[in-house]
Amino acid sequence: MDPPAMPARRRRPEVLHDKENPADAQPGERQRTAAGTGRQPLGAAPTPPEAPLSSSIRIERPRRPDPPLTPAPQTSMDPPLTPAPQTSIDPPAMPARRRRPEVLHDKENPADAQPEERQRTAAGTGRQPLAGALPPPPPESLQNEADLLKEVESLKIELQHVRQDRDRLLSYMGTYKEMTEKSVIELENAMKKASTLQETCSSQRNIIRTLESKLATVEKLKMPNMMSSETMTEYEDMKKLLESVQLRLKEAEQTILNGEILRKKLHNTILELKGNIRVFCRVRPLLPNESGAVSYPRNIQDIGRGIELLHNAQGYSFTFDKVFDHSATQEHVFTEISQLVQSALDGYKVCIFAYGQTGSGKTYTMMGNPELEEQKGMIPRSLEQIFQATQTLNSQGWIYKIQASMLEIYLETIRDLLATKHISQDGGSSKHNIKHDAQGSIVSGLTVIDVTSISEVSSLLRRAAQSRSVGRTQMNEESSRSHCVLTLRIFGVNERMDQQVQGVLNLIDLAGSERLNKSGATGDQLKEAVAINKSLSCLSDVIFSIAKKDEHVPFRNSKLTYLLQPCLGGDSKTLMFVNLSPEVSSTGESLCSLRFAARVNSCEIGIPRRQTRMSSDRPS
């Protein structure tokens, strides 16, 4: 039975030592506190000397009995708790009274204390643990739960940062798209305006010719007896009209020049926004008895830019600046590169080359069949565009001079394809050396020919094709066994604008990479294949070094890479065609070509610079 209820009395506030809650004191301190008050602790069993006390030091008044507590797990540090004897007689009801609020140490709720502290609190107050209560969770679980909560908060913050980055990138993409669309619209408007002005100039010229003819007639028919006032008035009116038309013609010509300057500026801005090194992928048509392993994505974002390759039952996806399927015509492909050809006339260094395995269509893309209009490749079409543009620009005061040279790199030896007398390979190796200047690569001892028409260049192409090294392999009937490079140097002068431009156009047909076990090469063809694969491997090393932004780029490892150094590591505008064979047996080589092209597309080279100067500064 519990003792009878004690009468309520006021307690003197106790002064705690340093800590607000005596329960936080050490066990010895709690014993001295109890001894100082001269009171015995409440409870059914006496508290051992080392037993923990309750969370606060005060005289426990009789209260309602607490339900029996389930004993907490004992540790080696805590003394065993002896449960108080229970009787079947319920104690009398305790009178309700107000209790002084207890001062807790650090935590407002004693339930937040650790399990051992709750056990000591229960032991200090002499209460029995709650019956049926679950054992407290181990500290490791609580720590793990806290760590998980912290990790969740960290992930939420990181997710918020990612969302902010995504919104910022979307904003940048919208700005970029808006700038590009605006530049295209301005370019189209300028071209329309230039066309209108040209028509106006043409009509004004006809009027001038008519007026000059009439004026000449009047001069011939003018007689002393016809010096009347009416004739003089008509003569003066015609003279004023002629002066007015000439003034308008001069203003129209100046407007056309300004429009041409704006067109060049917008045109090159668009190309720079698209990137310096661009990659176009072209897939040749399937031949009879071939099965394809190439497909094209149909989603809006990747139409015309994506390609998918199935190799060993696994799909690989790639994205480039442009992808031409097997149905693309030569004219369609050239439309996409015509802007780069125009940049050469504007004074930029431009390089266009084709890369791919043997039999993938590189030579057809670059050269095609010049005799048939529909099958002309990029080289003949580029030459036609250049000569047509020079004739158009002649009316604006531009005078152009074009020089052509053509070479091949065969077994790491430079051979002049336009030379009238061919020398031995040893002599060619010692004669032709590669140097670099502001205009790009210069090969010493190379034949350079001034060309003034497309017919002259076509004749040179036929002569070079007869001298180029080709051979037959198991993969191609007429496989190119060398790298062929056509270089056009373009010099333009405009006396009206007092300006001079110097552009370079390099059109390159690389030899095809191949696996020796598939090509069946032996003897001299084996040497050719080894030399071709080595030079292409050096080209891959150069591209990888540029992509990684290494301080040293191994351009000198082969004649090909050293010749292409100004195009790959300078301020040139470069475009690469990666040609693919869609057949299943070539998926291994196609996958290597696509991976190389993707690395090329990620390269960042110098900003293209226009080679211009005042025409008065050119050497005499």
Side-chain angles (χ1 to χ4, degrees):
M1 299 180 58
D2 291 337
M6 299 294 295
R9 63 180 176 182
R10 180 175 299 174
R11 294 179 59 190
R12 180 175 59 85
E14 300 175 2
V15 178
L16 304 180
H17 180 65
D18 292 338
K19 303 179 180 179
E20 294 181 0
N21 193 350
D24 298 330
Q26 299 296 329
E29 295 180 359
R30 289 196 296 270
Q31 291 177 6
R32 287 193 297 272
T33 302
T37 57
R39 299 170 184 169
Q40 294 297 332
L42 298 179
T47 304
E50 297 296 329
L53 297 178
S54 61
S55 60
S56 64
I57 300 177
R58 67 176 180 272
I59 301 301
E60 292 291 335
R61 297 178 180 87
R63 63 178 67 181
R64 294 180 181 179
D66 294 328
L69 301 176
T70 303
Q74 299 182 359
T75 63
S76 59
M77 299 298 296
D78 295 328
L81 299 178
T82 304
Q86 300 181 2
T87 61
S88 59
I89 303 176
D90 296 330
M94 298 297 294
R97 67 175 183 273
R98 180 177 300 174
R99 297 181 60 186
R100 182 174 62 86
E102 300 175 0
V103 180
L104 302 179
H105 179 64
D106 291 338
K107 302 178 181 179
E108 296 180 1
N109 191 356
D112 297 332
Q114 298 296 329
E116 295 182 359
E117 294 179 0
R118 289 195 299 267
Q119 291 178 10
R120 288 194 293 269
T121 302
T125 57
R127 297 176 183 174
Q128 296 299 328
L130 295 175
L134 296 175
E140 293 81 359
S141 300
L142 298 176
Q143 184 64 30
N144 293 338
E145 182 179 359
D147 292 343
L148 290 175
L149 291 175
K150 292 179 180 179
E151 184 175 359
V152 169
E153 293 297 329
S154 175
L155 291 175
K156 289 181 178 180
I157 296 174
E158 183 178 356
L159 178 59
Q160 184 66 24
H161 291 171
V162 171
R163 289 176 176 172
Q164 294 176 356
D165 293 342
R166 180 201 62 189
D167 296 338
R168 186 164 53 255
L169 289 176
L170 290 176
S171 177
Y172 290 162
M173 290 177 64
T175 304
Y176 167 79
K177 183 176 180 182
E178 182 179 354
M179 291 176 58
T180 304
E181 293 177 351
K182 184 178 179 181
S183 299
V184 171
I185 294 173
E186 292 179 356
L187 176 59
E188 292 178 352
N189 293 336
M191 294 181 67
K192 292 179 180 178
K193 187 174 182 181
S195 177
T196 303
L197 292 174
Q198 287 181 354
E199 294 177 357
T200 303
C201 290
S202 178
S203 62
Q204 296 296 336
R205 288 192 186 95
N206 295 331
I207 295 175
I208 290 175
R209 294 191 188 98
T210 304
L211 292 176
E212 289 178 347
S213 177
K214 291 182 178 180
L215 185 60
T217 304
V218 171
E219 291 289 344
K220 291 180 181 180
L221 298 178
K222 185 171 61 174
M223 301 296 292
N225 56 351
M226 297 178 63
M227 300 297 294
S228 61
S229 60
E230 183 178 356
T231 304
M232 290 299 298
T233 302
E234 183 179 358
Y235 174 78
E236 293 294 334
D237 292 341
M238 287 186 177
K239 188 175 181 180
K240 291 180 181 179
L241 179 60
L242 179 61
E243 292 176 354
S244 176
V245 171
Q246 290 178 344
L247 180 62
R248 291 173 59 186
L249 178 61
K250 186 176 180 179
E251 293 176 352
E253 289 178 348
Q254 185 62 38
T255 304
I256 291 176
L257 291 177
N258 295 336
E260 181 66 16
I261 295 174
L262 178 60
R263 182 201 64 78
K264 292 179 180 180
K265 182 179 179 180
L266 295 176
H267 164 70
N268 291 294
T269 300
I270 292 174
L271 291 183
E272 290 174 7
L273 289 175
K274 292 181 178 179
N276 296 336
I277 298 185
R278 303 175 65 195
V279 176
F280 288 175
C281 178
R282 188 178 189 185
V283 183
R284 71 162 175 81
L286 283 171
L287 300 178
N289 301 325
E290 285 185 354
S291 56
V294 174
S295 60
Y296 309 92
R298 296 301 179 185
N299 53 327
I300 299 177
Q301 294 82 358
D302 295 334
I303 289 180
R305 299 180 63 246
I307 185 172
E308 297 176 354
L309 178 67
L310 184 63
H311 176 62
N312 292 336
Q314 183 175 357
Y316 298 88
S317 299
F318 298 88
T319 303
F320 302 104
D321 296 287
K322 191 70 177 178
V323 174
F324 302 97
D325 58 15
H326 62 278
S327 62
T329 62
Q330 296 281 61
E331 182 180 2
H332 182 199
V333 176
F334 179 74
T335 302
E336 294 294 330
I337 71 168
S338 59
Q339 296 176 348
L340 280 176
V341 177
Q342 180 64 39
S343 294
L345 285 172
D346 296 342
Y348 288 87
K349 289 184 291 186
V350 179
C351 178
I352 301 174
F353 66 96
Y355 175 90
Q357 70 175 106
T358 298
S360 59
K362 300 182 301 301
T363 303
Y364 179 80
T365 297
M366 297 303 297
M367 185 61 68
N369 187 354
E371 305 300 327
L372 299 178
E373 182 63 26
E374 295 180 357
Q375 297 184 12
K376 288 182 179 179
M378 303 302 106
I379 293 177
R381 293 176 185 270
S382 298
L383 298 174
E384 290 178 357
Q385 177 181 345
I386 287 176
F387 285 102
Q388 290 175 1
T390 54
Q391 293 177 0
T392 302
L393 295 174
N394 285 339
S395 61
Q396 302 178 14
W398 284 97
I399 300 176
Y400 284 93
K401 177 182 178 181
I402 301 176
Q403 294 179 339
S405 62
M406 202 164 183
L407 62 87
E408 72 172 358
I409 301 177
Y410 176 75
L411 294 178
E412 284 300 301
T413 301
I414 296 178
R415 299 176 56 184
D416 188 355
L417 295 179
L418 300 182
T420 55
K421 295 182 180 180
H422 295 284
I423 57 179
S424 62
Q425 293 182 3
D426 295 336
S429 177
S430 61
K431 179 180 179 181
H432 303 297
N433 297 317
I434 302 174
K435 298 180 181 179
H436 298 142
D437 64 355
Q439 297 303 314
S441 299
I442 297 179
V443 181
S444 61
L446 198 65
T447 302
V448 179
I449 300 176
D450 293 336
V451 290
T452 58
S453 64
I454 184 62
S455 59
E456 294 181 5
V457 181
S458 299
S459 177
L460 295 179
L461 292 178
R462 286 192 294 268
R463 186 202 307 179
Q466 295 175 358
S467 302
R468 188 178 180 187
S469 300
V470 296
R472 179 177 180 179
T473 67
Q474 294 181 3
M475 300 181 66
N476 193 358
E477 290 291 332
E478 291 185 2
S479 175
S480 301
R481 313 310 295 166
S482 64
H483 308 300
C484 180
V485 181
L486 170 64
T487 301
L488 292 181
R489 294 184 177 272
I490 305 171
F491 305 90
V493 178
N494 192 319
E495 298 292 346
R496 301 178 187 175
M497 302 174 63
D498 191 21
Q499 190 175 13
Q500 179 182 4
V501 296
Q502 299 179 5
V504 179
L505 177 61
N506 293 302
L507 301 171
I508 304 172
D509 180 15
L510 298 179
S513 62
E514 59 189 21
R515 295 185 180 180
L516 300 181
N517 58 352
K518 292 186 64 175
S519 64
T522 57
D524 292 339
Q525 286 189 353
L526 179 60
K527 295 180 181 179
E528 295 170 354
V530 171
I532 292 171
N533 291 339
K534 180 181 177 181
S535 61
L536 294 178
S537 177
C538 293
L539 179 61
S540 300
D541 295 338
V542 168
I543 294 298
F544 291 166
S545 297
I546 295 175
K548 293 188 296 183
K549 298 182 179 179
D550 293 341
E551 295 182 359
H552 172 70
V553 180
F555 288 109
R556 291 179 177 268
N557 286 357
S558 71
K559 294 288 180 65
L560 175 64
T561 54
Y562 195 48
L563 184 67
L564 294 179
Q565 180 176 354
C567 303
L568 299 177
D571 52 359
S572 175
K573 295 184 178 182
T574 304
L575 169 68
M576 184 185 84
F577 280 100
V578 54
N579 293 84
L580 295 182
S581 175
E583 60 178 347
V584 175
S585 60
S586 300
T587 55
E589 290 82 359
S590 298
L591 182 60
C592 293
S593 298
L594 289 173
R595 287 175 174 171
F596 174 75
R599 186 63 61 93
V600 171
N601 206 13
S602 65
C603 289
E604 296 180 1
I605 61 176
I607 299 175
R609 304 189 191 285
R610 188 184 182 194
Q611 303 296 325
T612 61
R613 61 179 178 179
M614 305 304 292
S615 60
S616 57
D617 298 335
R618 72 178 188 274
S620 58

